[in-house]
């Protein structure tokens, strides 16, 4: 039963991570205002349910491109290809609630930099297409305010991922930090757009997915071999011990 439970957890087929806030509203507020956001996700599977943390507390979970809070769908993120906003820039993401209503956008756009050059940034917009108070580097690694000052950063990797997950799954952790002195509220939906950029870049560099089932079966097979080896050695030791005892008894009788 323990092995089965572990396999279910590793493959993401078990229970969804449980929210650690008193209400969905508190969880959402924490995701918008936290200094540190952690998103665990499988780079190669959309079936797994992985936790999202706000300042160390589970606020919800991610399954595929959909975020759930307290077991209910909050929003999903998807590429936008056939809306008027596509005329204003490059790659565009849209955020949609469970009924399909648009909640906002993120879009690659070229902006003028302080040195007079143009550079591609990830710009965040509300549902009406109005720009928000911040933007991101195109790859999602740095968050800027509109003065051009860095106010946050993002990173994807295995730091903080448990040994079992590192070895048996393709789950990685994306961490976002926001400078509290910036006094900036960052909509978590925009974090998800940055997350998509970071995840895509990481997948291009580290394209070596783990086959969870094969790894688990391989480990069980090795464990069985070790058990048989240990049992064989114990039996040999016992047999040798019995032989020594028998010899000592024979000598005593003589």
């Amino acid at each position: 039963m323990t092995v089965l439970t572990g396999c279910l957890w590793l493959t993401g087929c078990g229970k969804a991570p449980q929210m650690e806030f008193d209400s969905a509203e508190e969880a959402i507020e924490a995701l918008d205002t936290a200094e540190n956001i952690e998103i665990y996700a499988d780079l190669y599977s959309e079936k797994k349910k992985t936790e999202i943390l706000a300042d160390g507390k589970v606020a919800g979970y991610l399954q595929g491109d959909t975020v759930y809070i307290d077991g209910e769908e909050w929003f999903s993120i998807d590429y936008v290809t056939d809306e008027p906003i596509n005329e204003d820039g490059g790659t565009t993401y849209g955020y949609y609630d469970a009924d399909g209503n648009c909640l906002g956008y993120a879009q690659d756009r070229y902006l003028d930099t302080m040195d007079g050059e143009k550079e591609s940034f990830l710009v965040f917009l509300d549902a009406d297409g109005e720009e928000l108070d911040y933007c991101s580097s195109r790859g999602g690694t740095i968050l800027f305010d509109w003065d051009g000052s860095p106010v946050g950063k993002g990173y994807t990797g295995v730091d903080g991922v448990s040994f079992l997950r590192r070895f048996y799954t393709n789950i990685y952790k994306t961490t976002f930090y926001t400078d509290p002195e910036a006094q900036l509220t960052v909509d978590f939906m925009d974090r998800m757009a940055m997350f998509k950029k970071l995840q895509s870049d990481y997948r291009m560099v580290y394209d070596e997915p783990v086959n969870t089932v094969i790894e688990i079966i391989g480990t069980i097979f090795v464990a069985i071999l070790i058990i048989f080896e240990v049992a064989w050695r114990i039996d040999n030791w016992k047999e040798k011990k019995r032989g020594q005892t028998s010899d000592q008894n024979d000598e005593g009788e003589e």
Side-chain angles (χ1 to χ4, degrees):
M1 180 61 71
T2 301
V3 173
L4 177 60
T5 301
C7 291
L8 288 173
W9 175 75
L10 284 172
T11 56
C13 298
K15 292 177 61 177
Q18 296 300 300
M19 185 179 72
E20 296 179 338
F21 290 85
D22 292 333
S23 67
E25 291 73 19
E26 284 188 24
I28 291 173
E29 181 180 1
L31 288 171
D32 288 342
T33 59
E35 182 176 336
N36 290 286
I37 298 291
E38 300 166 49
I39 305 173
Y40 291 82
D42 191 301
L43 289 182
Y44 301 97
S45 172
E46 296 188 353
K47 296 180 180 179
K48 294 180 182 175
K49 302 171 184 177
T50 47
E51 63 270 32
I52 302 171
L53 281 70
D55 286 335
K57 295 176 63 177
V58 176
Y61 68 89
L62 179 67
Q63 186 175 26
D65 292 324
T66 303
V67 176
Y68 294 83
I69 304 293
D70 200 19
E72 299 293 329
E73 181 177 337
W74 178 19
F75 73 93
S76 59
I77 181 171
D78 200 358
Y79 289 103
V80 178
T81 58
D82 57 356
E83 295 185 26
I85 194 170
N86 290 114
E87 300 174 4
D88 298 327
T91 301
T92 306
Y93 300 102
Y95 320 130
Y96 303 91
D97 65 17
D99 296 321
N101 300 309
C102 182
L103 305 173
Y105 300 97
Q107 186 175 63
D108 287 339
R109 289 183 178 180
Y110 280 94
L111 302 176
D112 294 324
T113 61
M114 297 183 68
D115 57 8
E117 300 291 330
K118 284 190 176 294
E119 187 175 338
S120 181
F121 289 86
L122 185 61
V123 175
F124 305 107
L125 310 106
D126 63 20
D128 296 321
E130 298 296 323
E131 294 178 350
L132 301 183
D133 296 333
Y134 48 84
C135 63
S136 162
S137 58
R138 184 175 182 178
T141 56
I142 305 175
L143 187 70
F144 298 95
D145 62 20
W146 280 108
D147 292 328
S149 301
V151 292
K153 57 185 179 180
Y155 169 78
T156 292
V158 295
D159 291 349
V161 178
S162 69
F163 171 78
L164 288 177
R165 279 184 162 182
R166 287 192 192 191
F167 193 75
Y168 291 108
T169 75
N170 297 296
I171 292 176
Y172 293 81
K173 183 176 76 170
T174 299
T175 303
F176 293 108
Y177 167 78
T178 304
D179 185 354
E181 294 185 4
Q183 298 183 338
L184 190 67
T185 298
V186 181
D187 195 313
F188 179 76
M189 297 182 193
D190 299 326
R191 295 291 195 197
M192 282 298 298
M194 296 173 69
F195 162 79
K196 294 285 286 184
K197 290 286 191 179
L198 287 164
Q199 199 180 40
S200 176
D201 289 347
Y202 198 88
R203 190 185 294 113
M204 289 177 63
V205 176
Y206 301 98
D207 190 17
E208 298 180 358
V210 171
N211 189 316
T212 301
V213 175
I214 291 177
E215 292 293 343
I216 292 175
I217 292 174
T219 299
I220 293 173
F221 179 72
V222 171
I224 291 172
L225 289 180
I226 292 173
I227 290 170
F228 275 113
E229 174 72 15
V230 171
W232 178 79
R233 290 182 180 276
I234 291 174
D235 286 342
N236 281 352
W237 177 80
K238 288 181 178 179
E239 188 66 31
K240 185 177 180 181
K241 204 68 173 167
R242 280 196 295 268
Q244 291 176 347
T245 303
S246 178
D247 290 343
Q248 289 173 356
N249 290 339
D250 291 343
E251 290 175 0
E253 291 176 358
E254 293 177 359

